[in-house]
Amino acid sequence: QVHLVESGGGSVQAGGSLRLSCAASGYSTNRYCMGWFRQAPGKEREGVAAISTDVGDTFYADSVKGRFTISRDDAKNTLTLYLQMNSLKPDDTATYYCAAQQWSGGACSLDGRWYDDWGQGTQVTVSS
């Protein structure tokens, strides 16, 4: 089981930027899909972005394309997932979660039901 801990959330004005981090431990291979998801009060969970840790293929929801960038750093035997969020909008306000799932190839899903391991979440608030 992969243990995930998010950080980097906070409050920002519209148009601003934030970078979220997710530290992963307990993984057994370098072949995972890792993703960022968000959930606002009263709304369903939404897949934001995903990346394959092996080859680095990235996948984005249409709502964040061109504004958010997912990346990973697996140097020094640690794996950290990032989400750079630019041009933030009030609609981006939500609790953001990272998730991981062992990957055997193909596209990484933005459907949260596909992922087994989840972090505790970090709050992002964007004011107008």
Side-chain angles (χ1 to χ4, degrees):
Q1 184 177 8
V2 179
H3 183 59
L4 303 168
V5 179
E6 302 97 334
S7 60
S11 297
V12 65
Q13 289 192 325
S17 298
L18 283 173
R19 188 175 82 156
L20 305 182
S21 300
C22 175
S25 60
Y27 52 93
S28 58
T29 76
N30 66 343
R31 303 195 74 193
Y32 281 86
C33 280
M34 296 188 73
W36 287 100
F37 297 80
R38 65 186 181 186
Q39 188 165 21
K43 294 187 177 181
E44 292 191 355
R45 182 175 59 198
E46 176 188 15
V48 174
I51 187 169
S52 59
T53 60
D54 188 0
V55 298
D57 290 340
T58 57
F59 309 87
Y60 294 95
D62 288 343
S63 59
V64 304
K65 279 181 182 176
R67 299 189 299 122
F68 290 10
T69 302
I70 189 171
S71 63
R72 90 277 191 233
D73 181 356
D74 54 3
K76 300 181 180 179
N77 295 321
T78 62
L79 179 58
T80 304
L81 183 71
Y82 298 103
L83 186 68
Q84 178 66 44
M85 305 186 294
N86 298 327
S87 301
L88 282 161
K89 305 174 182 179
D91 284 348
D92 295 319
T93 295
T95 301
Y96 283 70
Y97 301 88
C98 68
Q101 175 63 41
Q102 284 193 321
W103 175 67
S104 58
C108 289
S109 176
L110 290 178
D111 184 343
R113 293 172 296 179
W114 191 74
Y115 291 78
D116 285 339
D117 299 309
W118 292 82
Q120 83 289 349
T122 185
Q123 178 67 35
V124 171
T125 302
V126 184
S127 58
S128 57

